[in-house]
Amino acid sequence: MRLYTYFRSSAAYRVRIGLALKGLDAEAVPVHLVRDGGQHKKPDYLGRNPQGFVPALEVGGQVITQSLAILEYLEEAHPQPPLLPKDPLARARVRSFALAIACDIHPLNNLRVLKHLRGGLGQDEDGVNRWVRRWIEEGFTALERMVEPGAPFCFGDAPGLAEACLVPQMYNARRFGADLTDFPTLVAIDERCRALPTFQSAAPDRQPDAE
Amino acid sequence: MRLYTYFRSSAAYRVRIGLALKGLDAEAVPVHLVRDGGQHKKPDYLGRNPQGFVPALEVGGQVITQSLAILEYLEEAHPQPPLLPKDPLARARVRSFALAIACDIHPLNNLRVLKHLRGGLGQDEDGVNRWVRRWIEEGFTALERMVEPGAPFCFGDAPGLAEACLVPQMYNARRFGADLTDFPTLVAIDERCRALPTFQSAAPDRQPDAE
């Protein structure tokens, strides 16, 4: 397997966590989102992923795009250890949590949108940071209430799909100076995850393309 | 099952399509997103769904939020007819397509974001419409290249998860006057779907709360 990745992409970070939790190796192929006007916008990368986003996972010559589709694929092709519980309603709760990050926080704050806020809507850095923190803080308010009360991780005793989405989003939150005081449960789960070797190996500053 | 829904919400529309494709009934509980300052922001609804979004599906006293988590739940609890193919790589392709809509088009254009563009960033209706169309047209450019060439639906001979996301997004695109001339494949698939009674029963103007 080859993973098209960028050290700071939080969607790629999710997949790196999923691979690490499952003990799977994938050759990292760095795609620089800024250098050369964005290597993800070059025809050869767009041929692999028409959206031009990272991550993309190449498996047996086929390319899977979208981090959550990649994580679901890993779960189906390599079931152990599981990223999702067994019961359909329990699986739905974990997926809701993951999607609340992957749909309703991250896409509002990714590179192309922040670029358009600056260039298209004339926002200064202060305006851009307020925009980012707004959606993070609104999203985290819901997430703090969605986790299983009293559990060490989001839902139960082991990290999985929910934490693979939460930890990269917490990384982004710190990067943009979001106020995390109202989210003690999320902060505690994030710290518990980041103490694990699996999560450490997936961290942005441990990647071959880290700057 | 009870479906908390709003006739014009494209995420609720996805779930209505999924239920119809599977021949399942759910009692519709309308949640008006504008009236009374937004019924989705009232404490009783936030108790069901901390994100305060529609749709939410109540099953045996538990509430599932996030349209894609609901659709995956329906697929697991009621496998026939399937919304996803069997092969893991084929499933991944369909999920990538669905997520490219659910993550990278829709959340940028939903009600709360458009409200903030108007109120917070001072955009006029022209600016808001340009914003909406920008993400639709960028997203559709990728989607047009992601479908299976020559197939009657997005991937193969029957509609499923991909079309449950595409048709509501096409409805939004028409509502906001997006230019669809560059997306003939998506337009043809959408028309083919909307000719089916299952998709017709899920349409916004056929809902009890339609205005």
Side-chain angles (χ1 to χ4, degrees), chain B residues 8-188:
Chain B
R8 206 147 55 190
S9 154
S10 75
Y13 189 1
R14 290 177 202 149
V15 172
R16 295 195 303 258
I17 294 169
L19 288 164
L21 287 173
K22 288 195 172 286
L24 296 167
D25 272 327
E27 180 197 348
V29 183
V31 180
H32 204 291
L33 302 191
V34 182
R35 208 175 289 157
D36 313 331
Q39 296 171 349
H40 59 302
K41 293 181 186 164
K42 305 290 174 198
D44 65 329
Y45 190 71
L46 288 173
R48 291 194 181 86
N49 179 359
Q51 284 198 282
F53 295 157
V54 291
L57 186 73
E58 203 174 294
V59 185
Q62 283 202 55
V63 177
I64 312 175
T65 64
Q66 286 287 341
S67 60
L68 290 190
I70 296 171
L71 289 165
E72 294 271 0
Y73 167 80
L74 294 176
E75 180 74 352
E76 291 178 352
H78 308 275
Q80 294 303 326
L83 301 178
L84 286 167
K86 280 207 168 147
D87 171 69
L89 278 171
R91 292 163 75 80
R93 279 182 76 193
V94 176
R95 286 189 176 120
S96 298
F97 184 94
L99 287 159
I101 294 170
C103 294
D104 296 319
I105 301 177
H106 176 64
L108 288 157
N109 294 342
N110 73 4
L111 197 58
R112 66 173 182 151
V113 175
L114 304 191
K115 260 187 166 167
H116 181 61
L117 283 171
R118 287 185 198 103
L121 303 191
Q123 292 292 302
D124 59 14
E125 280 317 287
D126 246 30
V128 168
N129 284 339
R130 272 199 309 277
W131 169 277
V132 169
R133 292 195 297 257
R134 176 188 186 87
W135 309 119
I136 289 177
E137 290 164 18
E138 189 176 311
F140 279 14
T141 301
L143 294 177
E144 181 80 10
R145 295 177 56 192
M146 290 170 80
V147 295
E148 186 183 326
F153 293 99
C154 294
F155 303 96
D157 291 333
L161 185 70
E163 291 77 9
C165 293
L166 176 63
V167 169
Q169 186 57 64
M170 293 292 278
Y171 167 82
N172 274 354
R174 286 190 300 270
R175 230 184 110 201
F176 285 95
D179 181 0
L180 299 176
T181 49
D182 286 340
F183 316 115
T185 318
L186 302 180
V187 167

Side-chain angles (χ1 to χ4, degrees), chain A residues 48-64:
Chain A
R48 291 194 180 86
N49 179 0
Q51 284 199 281
F53 295 158
V54 291
L57 185 73
E58 204 173 295
V59 185
Q62 284 203 54
V63 178
I64 312 175

Side-chain angles (χ1 to χ4, degrees), chain A residues 28 69 201 203 205 209:
Chain A
S201 69
D205 61 3
D209 59 331

